[in-house]
Amino acid sequence: MTTQQTSLRRVSSAAPASLLLLLLAGAAGAAPPLVGVYPQDEAYFAPEVIACRDGSGSFPKSRLNDGYCDCADGTDEPGTSACPEGRFYCRNIGDTPRLVFSSVVNDKICDCCDGSDEYESGIRCPNTCRNGKDVTKSDDGGSKLSVAHLDDRDVFSSKHTLDIEDLIQKLRGLRMAVIIELGLVVCVIAVCFARRHTRTRKRHYILQR
């Protein structure tokens, strides 16, 4: 067997392995599904350059849910806890969808009934969503699924819960602002007291001379 034939056999045997590696690399580089995005907003995140909803700027699609806050309103981080103003969409299939603050994403506490907010926290959330599908008998003796309509009270309850959470977040922010202001007032008083004390000591020193 010649050296050229041996080389050809090695190349032909290595071809399937190389093809497999290329396929695996392509699968690894595939874009993950949008996490925390309202289904009707998925088209908004389709362009390669996405604008912040508050008009503060834009960001490339590669920075979507990358763990860094590029938009003040959290447009770029619907599926992470990077932006305090962001909102995470719980699909809650079979139950009422809801929005939660992005700050609760992957905090090891199950906030969505389907557990979708804890996709990378390492804990397993039980699916506590109500089953919104009723099994009924069909004319041919089989069974079929009929989707029940959502109660308006459930929608109101979801909105009411979000309003309460929003109020809690605002109260926390107000409390931090008050603490910071009190700290600044204390610092100013301390500086004024120190300057007055220094002046008093200088006057006593001058009078003693």
Side-chain angles (χ1 to χ4, degrees), residues 34 44-52 57-71 75-78:
L34 295 176
Y44 184 85
F45 296 95
E48 292 300 321
V49 177
I50 306 169
C52 301
S58 60
F59 59 95
K61 190 175 182 179
S62 58
R63 293 187 183 179
L64 179 64
N65 286 334
D66 65 345
Y68 295 93
C69 194
D70 298 297
C71 300
T75 303
D76 61 307
E77 298 298 320

Side-chain angles (χ1 to χ4, degrees), residues 96-99 152-166:
T96 306
R98 62 178 298 210
L99 289 171
D152 292 338
R153 290 175 298 178
D154 296 334
V155 177
F156 174 78
S157 177
S158 178
K159 292 181 180 179
H160 187 62
T161 302
L162 182 60
D163 291 339
I164 293 176
E165 292 177 353
D166 195 8

